[in-house]
Amino acid sequence: MEPYNNHTSIAALMNRSNVDTDQIIPKQFLKKVERSGFGAHLFHDWRFNDDGSDNPDFELNKPAFKSARILVTGDNFGCGSSREHAPWAIADYGFNTIISSSYADIFYNNCFKNGILPIRATKEQLQLIANEINSHEGCSLTINLEAQTVSTPLGNNFAFEIDPFRKENLLHGLDDIGLTLEQIDKIDEYEQKHRRLYPWLWT
Amino acid sequence: MKKTMYEKIWDSHLVCEAPGQAPLVYVDRHLMHEVTSPQAFEGLRNANRKIRNPHSILATMDHCVPTKDRELPIADPIARKQIETMADNCRENNLNLYDIKNPNNGVIHIVVPEHGFVHPGMVTVCGDSHTATHGAFGALAFGIGTSEVEHVMATQTLPQVKSKTMLVQVNGKLPKYSSAKDIVLAVIGKIGTAGGTGYVIEFAGEAVMELTMEGRMTLCNMAIEGGARAGLVMPDEKTYEYLNGREFAPSGSQWDTALAYWKTLPSDDGAEFDTVVTLTADDIAPQVTWGTSPEQVAPVSGSVPSPDDFNDEGKRQACISALDYMDLAPQTKITDIPVNLVFLGSCTNGRIEDFRIAAEITKNHKVADGVTAIAVPGSYKVKKQAEQEGLDQILIDAGWEWRDPGCSMCLAMNGDELTPGQRSASTSNRNFEGRQGKGGRTHLVSPAMAAAAAAAGHFVDIRNL
Ligand code: SF4
């Protein structure tokens, strides 16, 4: 995985709450057995008209948001299905950061496995950012993961919380499985105990 | 210290807590289906890693399988490739797979309990959010992403952040014709779809313990729709009786060892939960969702709300867009909403008792003109059982279609879907925009309510039948 670097990028505003993973990547695209190429279908049903042309009313189709890397969106983002195709599509489209007031649990976990930083802001902070984007579409935010801050063009600065291990892994692009396998002795040891305590699971 | 059931399972499955890393939790059972696993197998192969414990895995094919003409090759080439990939992956790795032709085939969360694969106190995962279903057995069961599927295959563990605990206490007795589905819709209506985020919910109280195992599965299944990581019901005599004699359940002296362990699992008296929510079952009427989120729900005797009924600006906006998508006017009586299609099935309500109640309501009532009614058993076992009881004939005589098992219209990936503007009464779990087909409008209900809607062509208050 690519390490997550500090960056200043255009932020796109999608002011909707409870955006579910069925909207992020509709089910007709889940039949593929590869991990790549899902960005073309991100938000498919909102993004495209029935004839396949761009829907000009959809937020992300605004020219000002075209090269955005930061997605600013409403409450409970990523609810619904566990499909990792959702963060795959988001990353493949070009986003590496999401700012919302809350995320569904599985989606939140899935982001970190794909180099996406999901920032939890307060409702007030989110409103402030949304206001700045609304008054100047195409403006950029600066994300500093080491310092855990978001800075806006008008000089607003927010700190955000993140689990220290998730931050480390993201900053260094670490492979979770590799990290866990460093604990292989502990897993072996636990498994011995497990066989003794729950023998019926091993027959 | 007094512990909740969640804390007991967590503590007994903690492998280690390496400094600077998340606690590592051991996984006992790993369930799989064709949609969320292929990329995990590929990742494993690319990294030259092996599956640590193939016996911990049970796999099925359910999401994109056709529910009719099963003997023909799958028409959709991409779906066919996904099915073939699943079969290849399972064969290469020597995994237990109930493939499309296997008499044990069905929806993952239906077949796993049928074979007694998940037991109380076990950590169970699956690349599927409705894994929460298995909490009905007092197992800690939750959905994971594909990277985590790979992680579990390679290490039999997962780095996890400990959840907070929520007790949902449902006191009193459930009225006749209200069901587990109505309890869980009422809970979600109360706490909201994000109300359980960060929590594991334990369902308790007289009305919960009165439910059958099937009912408890329906309840825990939709814990995820309330945002929770998992749902739990403590194991009791019903749980043990259900498991006894099933293929993967312990037997002989191991049964006694297991039983002794299971009996230590229920939350200690006086154990503290981070949040407690209380409901009175006697007040729970049959529920119908009117919007595009499971929290947008009303009792059948009620009406569609107006945006101004919501103080919260987000909920007000959500109501406006839901009414627009659902093409409903505020104040419409729920019983005045017509339906074109009825879907009975899914891992929420695709079990034998769901078909029994649907057949009971359907008896001597033809499907209304202009309504298509589809019954999709959750598994071949459910299908066979229903046929032995003659439930299929009651439904077929009334004009229902009787299909082969699969997820079918729950997520409409296999070709069974709503056309734009069609309106369904569905026993599944999600009413999101487009979930059952682009432009389709979904109302979530219990099997009894679905059967009644099929006969009437609109929602009816089954308590008045
Ligand atoms: S029936 Fe529906 S919710 Fe259940 S596993 Fe299948 S698609 Fe998912």
Side-chain angles (χ1 to χ4, degrees), chain B residues 281-331:
Chain B
D282 308 74
D283 302 341
I284 299 176
Q287 307 279 308
V288 180
T289 64
W290 49 264
T292 52
S293 161
E295 72 182 32
Q296 293 172 322
V297 64
V300 61
S301 47
S303 308
V304 174
S306 132
D308 294 335
D309 296 342
F310 299 92
N311 296 326
D312 179 281
E313 182 53 24
K315 292 206 190 298
R316 206 180 79 85
Q317 287 299 336
C319 178
I320 293 173
S321 62
L323 294 186
D324 178 51
Y325 182 85
M326 296 296 287
D327 192 28
L328 288 172
Q331 267 82 57

Side-chain angles (χ1 to χ4, degrees), chain A residues 16-18 20-23 27-35 38 44-46 48-50 75-76 79-85 88 102-106 109-110 113-114 120 123 163-166 168-169 174-181 183-184 186-188 190-191 193-194 197-203, chain B residues 12-16 18 20-22 24 26 28-29 35-36 38-40 42 49 52-53 64 76 78-79 81-82 85 119 122 127-129 143-148 150-151 154-157 159 161 193-194 197 224 227 229 250 254 257-258 261-262 295 312 314 411-413 430 432-438:
Chain A
R16 307 177 186 227
S17 36
N18 292 318
D20 58 76
T21 53
D22 283 74
Q23 291 308 333
K27 65 232 155 203
Q28 62 268 36
F29 306 110
L30 305 185
K31 294 172 193 162
K32 286 179 30 158
V33 294
E34 301 85 23
R35 247 174 229 259
F38 289 100
H44 178 276
D45 290 0
W46 288 338
F48 302 109
N49 295 317
D50 286 343
D75 242 10
N76 198 26
C79 60
S81 146
S82 66
R83 62 187 71 155
E84 199 163 317
H85 311 68
W88 292 338
S102 68
Y103 301 87
D105 191 40
I106 305 177
N109 283 335
N110 281 342
K113 317 281 178 190
N114 295 284
R120 288 191 179 118
K123 291 208 174 189
D163 293 310
F165 59 90
R166 284 182 162 137
E168 272 311 292
N169 297 358
L174 295 178
D175 160 32
D176 272 13
I177 300 182
L179 281 173
T180 295
L181 288 173
Q183 307 298 324
I184 196 77
K186 295 271 173 40
I187 299 175
D188 288 343
Y190 176 88
E191 218 162 58
K193 189 176 88 179
H194 193 275
L197 287 174
Y198 318 114
W200 64 93
L201 296 182
W202 292 93
T203 45
Chain B
S12 65
H13 284 77
L14 204 55
V15 173
C16 63
Q21 291 298 321
L24 213 52
Y26 192 79
D28 302 295
R29 294 296 204 215
V35 176
T36 53
Q39 294 87 351
E42 191 197 5
R49 288 173 176 142
R52 186 175 168 95
N53 183 3
C64 59
D76 175 352
I78 316 177
K81 171 139 189 245
Q82 195 168 57
T85 305
H119 314 157
M122 279 190 189
D128 192 286
S129 56
I144 55 177
T146 298
S147 298
E148 291 174 308
E150 185 181 336
H151 199 120
T155 72
Q156 211 58 38
T157 64
V161 178
T193 45
T197 305
I224 181 77
R229 184 146 192 77
Q254 293 206 334
T257 317
Y261 168 61
W262 297 344
E295 72 182 32
D312 179 281
L411 95 163
M413 225 180 127
R430 289 192 173 133
F432 298 156
E433 277 184 33
R435 170 84 177 178
Q436 294 192 296
K438 191 174 179 187

